[in-house]
Amino acid sequence: MRPHPARPVLLVIAHGSRDPRHAATVHALVEAVRALRPGLRVETGFLDFNVPSVQGVLESLAAEGVRDVIALPLLLTRAFHAKADIPAVLRQAPARLRIRQTEVLGPSPLLTAALERRLYEAGLTPADKPTTGVVLASAGSTDPEAIAVIAEIAREWRHTGWCAVRPAFASASLPRPEDAVAQLRAEGVRRIAVAPYVLAPGFLPDRIARGAADADVLADVLGPAPEVARLLVERYEAAAVRDLVALGA
């Protein structure tokens, strides 16, 4: 019988930001993942602005003798960072490491649940759904696939009982959050809430918040919501299972 291979290390890859709230939120989310899986080694690496860098973490793991790593992009859509930046960084990893990159986090019912959690924490209740229009505000992207995913999430979320759900973007795409709020207001929607579809605070989430000035409710970023932590574990475990199948374990 073959020995059971050691569990791969989970490397959470975050974008990074000059805003210290970003790294603090990422670390809080990683701690939530560790709490869900106490036996799992979880490391964090940043693409830019913060330390440790992804490359630095990978070199340290290789120096320790680690063999298998599952790299999880802390991204909500499959845009440029997931398609180009992260694979490029992983290709520069030490040769002894065997690395599998997971799918990005979105779309997922767990993220929709986290969005609703944040709206309820901001003061709404399920009974408010029929009279509340929601602006689903993402950071934005020039990638058509990412934009289409946000629009589809809004369409699907609308079917769960909200009066309306409109996508909006802090950059690169239209409409802006303030324009989506104004449109819902012009249509006579009684209550308007802005739900940031972002993981951590920073420049673009602050722009979303400014665009929500005329809304009635502004939810917090997703951050270390329990549903987000569970989703990271799900992405890791799906990749780990594929590894075991590939190894014939």
Side-chain angles (χ1 to χ4, degrees), residues 211-225:
D214 291 332
D216 302 292
V217 175
L218 171 62
D220 199 358
V221 299
L222 297 174

Side-chain angles (χ1 to χ4, degrees), residues 181-212:
V181 170
Q183 183 181 15
L184 288 172
R185 192 74 74 191
E187 293 173 3
V189 175
R190 182 187 304 177
R191 183 187 295 104
I192 300 171
V194 175
Y197 190 61
V198 292
L199 285 166
F203 177 75
L204 293 177
D206 283 349
R207 182 179 288 179
I208 290 171
R210 290 193 297 272

Side-chain angles (χ1 to χ4, degrees), residues 82-221:
K83 294 177 179 178
D85 282 354
I86 291 175
V89 171
L90 297 180
R91 283 195 294 270
Q92 298 171 15
R96 70 161 283 114
L97 292 177
R98 183 167 51 210
I99 302 173
R100 178 183 292 278
Q101 180 178 331
T102 75
E103 296 295 329
V104 297
L105 298 179
S108 167
L110 284 170
L111 290 175
T112 305
L115 286 165
E116 295 206 345
R117 170 187 291 274
R118 294 305 190 218
L119 286 170
Y120 297 152
E121 290 171 349
L124 294 177
T125 71
D128 293 319
K129 280 188 169 188
T131 57
T132 303
V134 178
V135 175
L136 177 67
S138 78
S141 174
T142 57
D143 189 303
E145 178 184 348
I147 298 303
V149 166
I150 299 299
E152 180 61 22
I153 293 170
R155 283 191 293 269
E156 291 295 324
W157 199 15
R158 163 69 180 82
H159 295 319
T160 66
W162 297 101
C163 172
V165 180
R166 301 290 168 79
F169 308 93
S171 68
S173 306
L174 295 173
R176 295 286 184 260
E178 56 267 33
D179 297 328
V181 170
Q183 183 181 15
L184 288 172
R185 192 74 74 191
E187 293 173 3
V189 175
R190 182 187 304 177
R191 183 187 295 104
I192 300 171
V194 175
Y197 190 61
V198 292
L199 285 166
F203 177 75
L204 293 177
D206 283 349
R207 182 179 288 179
I208 290 171
R210 290 193 297 272
D214 291 332
D216 302 292
V217 175
L218 171 62
D220 199 358
V221 299

Side-chain angles (χ1 to χ4, degrees), residues 8-13 54 58 61 66-73 82 86-87 90-91 93-94 96-104 232 234-248:
V9 172
L10 170 58
L11 172 58
V12 176
I13 300 179
V54 175
L58 292 172
L61 291 173
V66 170
R67 181 72 175 93
D68 293 300
V69 176
I70 291 178
L72 193 160
I86 291 175
L90 297 180
R91 283 195 294 270
R96 70 161 283 114
L97 292 177
R98 183 167 51 210
I99 302 173
R100 178 183 292 278
Q101 180 178 331
T102 75
E103 296 295 329
V104 297
L232 265 67
E234 284 190 4
R235 291 286 185 263
Y236 169 85
E237 291 180 344
V241 166
R242 288 195 298 270
D243 274 346
L244 289 174
V245 171
L247 291 170

